Amino acid sequence: MLQIIYKNKMQFFALAIFLVMSVILVMIPSATAEDHDVSITDDMKFNPEDLTINVEDTVTWTNNDGMGHTATSTDGPASFDSGNIAAGATWSFTFTEAGTYNYKCDYHSSMTASITVVESDGDGADDTEDGDGADNTEDGDGA
């Protein structure tokens, strides 16, 4: 009889532990991808020129100029090329690898910018300094 009572208490205890762990896992926030915007300005610049984002975030370029532009990587862990982004149009790219991506407009060589992609710490929060995706350190190196 004592063995049956002990066995039932152990099963109850195991079930209670399982339920508590399930609740804890549900409450842990998961990392979610964010969207970031880059404006191609009418003075032929990418704004912002330097952007820091998390892996799996998406950047959307919007051409707010009256002529076509591109967003074309010049180096980085992966390459991207928007092709022509017509006036008023948008183009998006999701960054899946950490690293620094320098890019330019193929039509206007003076138009350059950089995106730094960092690994998220998994807490669901924006890992950039003030949440706007920009590198706000004094020297701009993100450290």
Side-chain angles (χ1 to χ4, degrees):
M1 179 76 169
L2 188 57
Q3 287 179 332
I4 294 172
I5 292 172
Y6 179 75
K7 184 178 179 183
N8 286 340
K9 283 185 177 182
M10 289 304 292
Q11 287 175 340
F12 176 77
F13 182 71
L15 179 60
I17 295 264
F18 174 76
L19 291 173
V20 168
M21 294 302 291
S22 297
V23 168
I24 290 171
L25 289 174
V26 167
M27 293 176 64
I28 295 173
S30 60
T32 56
E34 295 186 30
D35 296 324
H36 303 271
D37 296 309
V38 173
S39 174
I40 301 172
T41 64
D42 59 3
D43 58 348
M44 294 180 51
K45 294 183 187 233
F46 294 107
N47 184 20
E49 288 183 9
D50 297 300
L51 179 65
T52 300
I53 65 172
N54 292 318
V55 170
E56 299 301 328
D57 285 359
T58 299
V59 175
T60 299
W61 285 262
T62 302
N63 186 352
N64 295 306
D65 194 8
M67 64 182 84
H69 293 283
T70 74
T72 306
S73 61
T74 56
D75 63 73
S79 62
F80 61 87
D81 186 0
S82 66
N84 185 63
I85 306 173
T90 63
W91 180 76
S92 298
F93 183 79
T94 300
F95 291 83
T96 59
E97 295 182 61
T100 300
Y101 296 77
N102 294 309
Y103 67 97
K104 65 175 184 159
C105 173
D106 270 342
Y107 307 147
H108 310 100
S109 61
S110 65
M111 292 178 63
T112 61
S114 177
I115 296 175
T116 302
V117 181
V118 297
E119 293 287 344
S120 171
D121 61 13
D123 65 2
D126 186 337
D127 292 332
T128 57
E129 287 288 317
D130 64 1
D132 70 354
D135 179 358
N136 297 315
T137 57
E138 192 171 313
D139 62 1
D141 71 355

